[in-house]
Amino acid sequence: MILDSKIPEGPLAEKWTKHKFNVKLVNPANKRKYDVIVVGTGLAGASAAASLAELGYNVKAFCFQDSPRRAHSIAAQGGINAAKNYQNDGDSVYRLFYDTIKGGDYRAREGNVHRLAQVSVNIIDQCVAQGVPFAREYGGLLANRSFGGAQVSRTFYAKGQTGQQLLLGAYSALSRQVANGKVKLYPRTEMMDVVMIDGKARGIVTRNLITGAIESHSAHAVLLCTGGYGNVFFLSTNAMGSNVTAAWRAHKKGAFFANPSFTQIHPTCIPVSGDHQSKLTLMSESLRNDGRVWVPATVETAEKLRKGLIKVNDIKEEDRDYYLERKYPSFGNLVPRDVASRNAKYVCDEGRGVNETGEAVFLDFRDAIKRDGEATIRAKYGNLFDMYQQITGDNPYQVPMMIYPAVHYTMGGLWVDYNLMTTIPGLYALGEANFSDHGANRLGASALMQGLADGYFVIPYTIGDYLAQNPIDRISAEHPEFKKAEKEVSDRLQKLLGIKGDKTVDFYHKKLGKIMWEYCGMARTAEGLTKAKAMIKELKKEFWTNVNVLGANEELNQSLEKANRVADFIELGELMVDDALNRNESCGGHFREEYQTPEGEALRDDENFAFVSAWKYLGEDLEEELNKEPLVFENVKLTQRSYK
């Protein structure tokens, strides 16, 4: 299949402006006749639902939480990027575009990324108008801080709770439309399948998580705003409920899955403390603005520290290795996430890790507190410091934080064109659920930017182009295709309930997570990936014959919810391994040990792998088909990334 990205013709800076003029429009009276389903109510979903309803469309919004305010977007801490250049430090739309392309190791589309940079400036104005309490400078202008992968300060923030404040802004816009009757909200409802009629997405099948009722909902278009799939690793910074099911159901109905192996390991997370943990805690990347990353200069000093023979504050300055500042003098502690994570792994593999397990490095605020005073640091990061102290018992104003990389974000997702439409007509994917903007590594503070860009400023234009070319006919949820999909969903749930094995769902999820982290995590090899594929195939067979799902369907049943999601994670895990095995290069977060520079940096192969991997599902237990969308770079030069 030839993948048509529908990137508009013309100069890069004019593509989006011209495209907005060229798309077909739906007149205001006709908008009232179209129904749109939005699955997920995080930043992408809430902003899309509110914007489309404001335009006049009838929107149904679904979330499995009890309120849209509990979407995982609320957990984002550090900030949101925008090319406002308030600091007058050389930022511009083009520089944000360039930093994003380079940060993603040249594995993203130029057209999509430039549009993201363009609309970033509108997002901030929109959010300020909604009352989002961004930090401000003395003169009243919005404050900025710097983030990894950039040498300018373009990140807007609200202390360490930016995601929460942005989500409350989007939620207020959504609530206004719920009150107006233009959005019908379905909380505690999980999408179980996409329904296609005449080759187009025309609705979804859901399960009520309180009663277990299977229901159908029809529409003229379906938007998936369901986040990422980092929980395939079991331990991640994602909320426990975050899953791949909506995207995976769509994939099995014909939506191609792009770059599934491109997952991001975040460098500043609280280290794993034991097998009892069910998730990990992120410490915002913004902390790397003032915190200095270091480990002891020698293995001997690190061993003394781990054994409790010395305290961290006993280690003299000359015995500390500020390894990011040493290796990358231009960017220092603000190198991109993949570079920072890999280097943390390197020093810990050398035996210089600083906690009992040897898998942690220090993030030290001693010098910043001396320079700016504790009150200034508290004003910037107070809630993050408090959170760290509550979890670890250590006071980061007095001793350095201990951090280690952990799974955080997924750059891969459903393949979409410039209009955010998947390979299924009428089915769109927004935010982290799609693959389109971040290549092989996302820059910090760009997730919130993409989610809101897609919801507030892209989809309102592009969905109209599709709807204007399709009839206004409504399809009943009693249509045979809906009934068929309902039966398939019900049969699958009954099959899970009927296995009656002797191992819990979490047992298999943890097992999958360990395979994925070991062989498809921070470093990958052909040998390890081949081994992982065989292990996942065996795990899938065991899961479907030996999992024990308690309870019944027609009730609140979290064991059944989890089982359905883990079954999809297992299949996704195999595809991630296939994708990583196919890509014989290193780029961004995908680090194949066979392909690295003499300095240990990712070594791309632009001649053979400058493409998007788009996988097509062919059927149960069949190998998926790889389709390639070539990446064309007309405005940036492909070079070996350097942050030195």
Side-chain angles (χ1 to χ4, degrees), residues 195-197 200-203 217-220 222 473-475 482:
V195 178
M196 291 171 61
I197 297 172
K200 298 172 185 174
R202 291 305 304 261
H217 302 270
S218 71
H220 294 92
V222 177
D473 65 307
R474 280 196 168 98
I475 289 180
F482 280 98

Side-chain angles (χ1 to χ4, degrees), residues 472-508:
I472 299 175
D473 65 307
R474 280 196 168 98
I475 289 180
S476 167
E478 299 300 312
H479 189 284
E481 286 299 325
F482 280 98
K483 293 303 166 189
K484 179 184 170 190
E486 284 181 18
K487 185 177 185 308
E488 287 171 358
V489 167
S490 190
D491 289 349
R492 175 181 168 89
L493 296 175
Q494 289 306 323
K495 184 178 178 183
L496 285 166
L497 288 164
I499 296 169
K500 302 296 183 194
D502 58 17
K503 290 287 190 294
T504 65
V505 175
D506 272 358
F507 171 84
Y508 289 106

Side-chain angles (χ1 to χ4, degrees), residues 218-355:
S218 71
H220 294 92
V222 177
L223 277 54
L224 300 185
C225 311
T226 50
Y229 49 87
N231 277 350
V232 67
F233 291 88
F234 186 71
L235 284 180
S236 83
T237 65
N238 289 189
M240 289 291 291
S242 299
N243 65 82
V244 78
T245 289
W248 197 252
R249 301 286 103 212
H251 176 53
K252 294 180 90 164
K253 283 291 176 74
F256 287 13
F257 211 104
N259 298 337
S261 66
F262 286 176
T263 55
Q264 180 167 83
I265 315 294
H266 197 294
T268 53
C269 301
I270 296 178
V272 176
S273 61
D275 285 342
H276 63 282
Q277 276 185 272
S278 54
K279 78 175 298 293
L280 296 171
T281 304
L282 171 73
M283 298 308 297
S284 169
E285 182 178 339
S286 63
L287 294 169
R288 289 198 279 148
N289 271 303
D290 288 300
R292 300 179 72 192
V293 180
W294 66 275
V295 290
T298 65
V299 174
E300 292 74 26
T301 306
E303 283 178 350
K304 285 181 184 176
L305 190 64
R306 289 195 293 267
K307 289 175 182 174
L309 301 176
I310 57 172
K311 301 284 188 191
V312 57
N313 290 337
D314 296 334
I315 302 175
K316 296 175 184 172
E317 185 70 11
E318 60 267 26
D319 295 326
R320 301 178 176 202
D321 179 16
Y322 297 93
Y323 57 89
L324 292 178
E325 297 172 36
R326 171 172 56 82
K327 291 180 72 174
Y328 308 98
S330 289
F331 281 74
N333 295 299
L334 290 174
V335 292
R337 291 174 176 180
D338 60 314
V339 177
S341 295
R342 233 175 356 260
N343 278 276
K345 182 180 187 297
Y346 290 157
V347 295
C348 290
D349 287 349
E350 289 170 357
R352 295 193 284 152
V354 297
N355 67 348

Side-chain angles (χ1 to χ4, degrees), residues 12 93-117 149 154 336 436-443 446 449 587-588 604 631-639 641 643:
L12 185 67
V93 166
Y94 190 85
R95 188 176 292 279
L96 176 52
F97 155 74
Y98 175 77
D99 286 347
T100 305
I101 288 281
K102 178 185 174 183
D105 217 353
Y106 304 94
R107 289 294 175 261
R109 285 191 199 129
E110 283 189 342
N112 285 64
V113 175
H114 193 273
R115 175 177 64 189
L116 178 64
R154 65 162 67 101
S436 71
D437 293 354
H438 306 297
N441 173 65
R442 176 175 68 78
L443 291 185
S446 287
M449 176 174 66
C587 56
R604 293 194 325 271
L631 290 169
V632 179
F633 294 93
E634 299 173 339
N635 299 275
V636 294
K637 186 181 176 187
L638 288 166
T639 57
R641 271 195 319 171
Y643 291 95

